[in-house]
Amino acid sequence: MPSVPYGWYAVLRSVELPAGKVVSLYYFGRALIAFRGADGRATVRDAHCPHYGAHLGVGGKVVDGTVQCPFHGWRFGADGRCVEAPFAVRTPKVSIGGFPVREHSGLVLVYVGPDAPDAPGESGATPGVMQGVTPGGVGEPSWEVPEIEEAGSRWFASPIDDTCRARIHVQEMRENIVDESHFHFIHGQSEPPVQEWREDGPFAEARGTISRRVFGWDIHNTFDAFMYGPGVMVVRAHGPVLSVTAIALSTPVDDRTSELRMLYYLRRPRRLPFLTPLFKLVFRAEALGEVREEVRIWDHKIHQARPVLLPHEKGIRALRRWYAQFYPEPPGADARPGSGMTDGACMTDGADVSGGAGMERRAVEAARSEV
């Protein structure tokens, strides 16, 4: 599989990028920096100065909304262009590549997509850059991740923030939500859940129920997993005791490793809000251990291009067919829907997958109905 599917990825939380600070990052097989320009907007760009190769995030600083190289003082604006080069007769017409950036829901999101020849940056390949990512910039995205209202709602507690890395492709991280059988062995469900699947372009939704025993109680929850491309998923679980919105952020680190960052927003009990810390403590004890168990499995599993699926395991095939749109088409590839690069499956019966419309709108409306 190509290393980086096209789409939006979260690389920072907003609170991790204060004004006046240069933050070093490493995603998509390349060293990156993030900082805020003079207008306060976040920018994410390549980390190395085109002058002599210094890392702008190691000793670099923000000066008047630009990032200044620690080695020779060259400065670059939020758009990547060089605005000052000490001792130069003329400012060199060079720039550092970057990404389209959006910031909302407490997240800094970047878009990885096809290379745009007129974007800031230098053309050509860069050693260590993953397949599907080029340093010369990308085209403007044709779709957006909607705002996640729970992230700013007073009815939800501050998030439990949990980050893991595993030797697995981001696609397989996403397949986890539609892997019906693993809910029994990892999450304690008695039977594989029956899920509904809908899709609408770059958006998809998986809906089902989870029944499990927690501290001797039988808990029955419904869940809706809204997927916004390959990198962002919002899972809203509702139950009689606790409602949780989990923001699952899966981001490629390099061609062998992916990051899963989970932000769990617990809804404050309406009548007993003082119990929120206790609910968070119980949730940590139950949920985070299960994630660690999955990461241990991911670290040692291989990708099965054609898995042998049981009749009830329709979700993986449906998701792979939808996910194929985020990969570049190889030369001469079949242009039929579902003929992309995410591989097929062997099944004992076929999956009946129906399309859906208005996925983005329904996600926002679902959030509003709860807050």
Side-chain angles (χ1 to χ4, degrees):
M1 294 183 289
S3 299
V4 184
Y6 293 160
W8 289 98
Y9 296 95
V11 295
L12 281 169
R13 291 180 63 191
S14 296
V15 296
E16 296 169 336
L17 188 60
K21 182 180 179 180
V22 183
V23 176
S24 295
L25 304 167
Y26 192 91
Y27 291 107
F28 319 120
R30 61 201 270 196
L32 304 169
I33 58 166
F35 67 97
R36 295 189 182 277
D39 59 0
R41 294 184 180 182
T43 185
V44 178
R45 314 214 67 86
D46 285 318
H48 293 107
C49 180
H51 173 218
Y52 204 50
H55 195 299
L56 301 173
V58 181
K61 57 185 178 181
V62 177
V63 178
D64 297 330
T66 68
V67 62
Q68 184 180 66
C69 177
F71 208 7
H72 301 98
W74 286 34
R75 291 168 52 194
F76 300 87
D79 62 357
R81 292 183 173 87
C82 181
V83 297
E84 182 182 350
F87 314 115
V89 177
R90 297 182 182 86
T91 302
K93 293 183 178 180
V94 295
S95 58
I96 49 176
F99 301 87
V101 174
R102 303 288 186 270
E103 184 173 10
H104 63 71
S105 309
L107 302 172
V108 177
L109 302 156
V110 301
Y111 181 79
V112 176
D115 195 31
D118 59 344
E122 299 177 332
S123 60
T126 296
V129 174
M130 295 170 64
Q131 180 182 356
V133 181
T134 52
V138 298
E140 281 298 316
S142 60
W143 57 275
E144 303 283 342
V145 175
E147 292 195 23
I148 305 164
E149 296 195 6
E150 292 93 328
S153 171
R154 64 187 180 91
W155 298 110
F156 286 81
S158 60
I160 299 170
D161 188 346
D162 185 54
T163 302
C164 301
R165 290 190 173 187
R167 294 176 59 186
I168 192 173
H169 193 279
V170 287
Q171 178 184 317
E172 296 204 57
M173 284 184 168
R174 178 61 56 82
E175 288 177 6
N176 200 60
I177 193 67
V178 293
D179 177 5
E180 295 95 338
S181 295
H182 98 284
F183 280 90
H184 170 74
F185 293 96
I186 301 297
H187 302 294
Q189 176 143 335
S190 58
E191 297 290 336
V194 177
Q195 297 187 6
E196 299 177 32
W197 173 266
R198 298 185 178 91
E199 58 188 68
D200 181 13
F203 309 123
E205 176 188 359
R207 175 180 297 180
T209 59
I210 297 178
S211 300
R212 57 181 298 171
R213 196 168 184 81
V214 179
F215 295 144
W217 295 342
D218 291 321
I219 305 297
H220 305 282
N221 287 1
T222 62
F223 73 88
D224 292 275
F226 296 92
M227 307 174 204
Y228 307 112
V232 181
M233 179 172 67
V234 180
V235 183
R236 295 179 172 96
H238 308 287
V241 178
L242 183 65
S243 291
V244 180
T245 294
I247 303 176
L249 308 168
S250 49
T251 307
V253 176
D254 54 34
D255 58 4
R256 294 172 60 88
T257 307
S258 300
E259 179 180 277
L260 177 65
R261 188 169 197 173
M262 299 294 301
L263 300 173
Y264 301 99
Y265 288 87
L266 276 61
R267 186 181 178 90
R268 302 179 190 274
R270 291 179 182 268
R271 297 181 180 177
L272 303 170
F274 60 88
L275 290 179
T276 300
L278 176 61
F279 280 18
K280 292 178 74 171
L281 184 64
V282 172
F283 186 86
R284 279 181 177 273
E286 285 290 310
L288 301 194
E290 294 172 2
V291 173
R292 293 296 184 276
E293 187 174 354
E294 289 175 321
V295 169
R296 283 194 295 270
I297 294 171
W298 289 343
D299 264 333
H300 300 279
K301 80 178 296 295
I302 63 170
H303 174 68
Q304 290 284 19
R306 295 183 60 81
V308 180
L309 300 177
L310 299 176
H312 69 276
E313 296 175 323
K314 300 178 181 180
I316 293 175
R317 185 178 185 182
L319 186 141
R320 288 190 176 188
R321 182 166 64 183
W322 169 76
Y323 207 98
Q325 67 184 292
F326 305 114
Y327 293 110
E329 285 290 338
D334 189 342
R336 292 174 299 172
S339 64
M341 303 178 67
T342 50
D343 309 312
C346 300
M347 297 187 66
T348 56
D349 69 351
D352 181 13
V353 182
S354 58
M359 206 68 59
E360 178 178 357
R361 173 181 51 79
R362 286 201 299 272
V364 175
E365 290 177 352
R368 286 176 177 164
S369 67
E370 290 296 316
V371 295

